[in-house]
Amino acid sequence: MFANFKARASRSKIHIESKMGGSIWDDKTPEKVLVYNNENKVYFLQDAKAYLTDLNQDFLPIPIEDLDAPTKVQFDGRPAKRYLGYAKLGKMGKQCVADFTCLDGFALTPSAHRMWCRFLGLNRGDFGLPVLLTQRRARVVGYDDKTVKLGQPVWCRVLTTTKARDLPLQADSFAVKADWKQAKDKAALFFSKDGSLQAKDIDDFFRSSAK
């Protein structure tokens, strides 16, 4: 997950923006995510499933099986609801695995809402827009014959939203600049300067890292 980021959402689009880059998702092409690199000014169209796997590759979310009735709360002066989610954890039985707060009255399209929930690691979306989330996740400790080995579930603070605002959309709210280059693959996204990875790009990267 990103350390600090800004998120913009229209009814059908989501833009995650961090210091080094970000991602743009549009429900017109739900199977793809546009991932971009600010420093190199390149972008890559990644498979949405692979993108979500990358986000959660170290700590796997525990799927919610049941939800308590929500509690009415306020978030940043707006009406919201707090939910507790539960799942069976082996011999421990039914345990709380998620504590999250959702805004009321902020409606995305069903597919956009689902994508935002999946981005956060929530396996369901029968609630408002999540803005706060603490979740039990299982650390990936290894792999064995395509089986993922998991450690004991630990509580992780996944999302802490500090402010929610209504803003007018701009022409570039959900787009990269027209002169940015499209990367051919993920390696080119991170290391190339023109979208096509060259040997000199790797040399330049390690030379700058050693400074």
Side-chain angles (χ1 to χ4, degrees):
M1 298 293 287
F2 300 106
N4 295 292
F5 67 88
K6 292 192 298 183
R8 304 175 190 172
S10 67
R11 276 187 48 79
S12 60
K13 299 178 183 180
I14 300 170
H15 186 173
I16 306 297
E17 186 177 5
S18 65
K19 183 177 180 181
M20 295 300 295
S23 61
I24 300 171
W25 179 90
D26 189 334
D27 72 358
K28 291 181 180 178
T29 53
E31 73 285 352
K32 294 292 184 180
V33 177
L34 188 154
V35 187
Y36 63 87
N37 183 326
N38 280 334
E39 184 176 2
N40 294 347
K41 299 181 180 179
V42 296
Y43 66 92
F44 174 61
L45 290 175
Q46 185 176 12
D47 178 80
K49 185 176 181 179
Y51 169 80
L52 293 167
T53 298
D54 288 347
L55 289 179
N56 299 297
Q57 63 182 345
D58 296 323
F59 288 87
L60 295 184
I62 297 174
I64 296 171
E65 297 173 3
D66 297 303
L67 283 175
D68 267 353
T71 303
K72 291 183 179 181
V73 295
Q74 290 280 314
F75 176 80
D76 198 23
R78 299 167 180 255
K81 291 185 177 73
R82 181 187 177 192
Y83 294 82
L84 296 178
Y86 295 85
K88 291 180 180 178
L89 299 181
K91 296 180 180 180
M92 297 171 63
K94 186 176 180 179
Q95 298 287 320
C96 182
V97 296
D99 182 343
F100 56 103
T101 298
C102 302
L103 284 180
D104 286 341
F106 192 97
L108 304 181
T109 62
S111 56
H113 182 84
R114 178 68 184 134
M115 183 61 184
W116 177 247
C117 292
R118 291 173 66 197
F119 172 80
L120 298 176
L122 292 168
N123 65 307
R124 53 197 291 176
D126 48 339
F127 33 71
L129 185 74
V131 290
L132 300 172
L133 171 62
T134 304
Q135 187 180 49
R136 261 182 170 170
R137 293 190 171 206
R139 185 180 180 88
V140 176
V141 296
Y143 298 88
D144 182 17
D145 293 331
K146 298 182 180 180
T147 300
V148 180
K149 293 183 178 181
L150 301 176
Q152 288 296 317
V154 296
W155 282 102
C156 301
R157 183 172 294 178
V158 179
L159 177 66
T160 303
T161 303
T162 57
K163 185 175 288 291
R165 294 184 293 170
D166 296 315
L167 296 172
L169 295 179
Q170 307 296 329
D172 60 350
S173 292
F174 300 97
V176 295
K177 296 185 183 300
D179 60 344
W180 285 23
K181 303 295 184 181
Q182 182 172 355
K184 295 183 178 180
D185 50 40
K186 283 177 62 180
L189 171 69
F190 293 111
F191 299 115
S192 76
K193 295 180 180 179
D194 60 2
S196 181
L197 188 62
Q198 306 292 332
K200 65 179 180 62
D201 294 321
I202 300 296
D203 292 339
D204 290 343
F205 172 76
F206 286 106
R207 190 176 298 115
S208 62
S209 298
K211 291 181 179 178

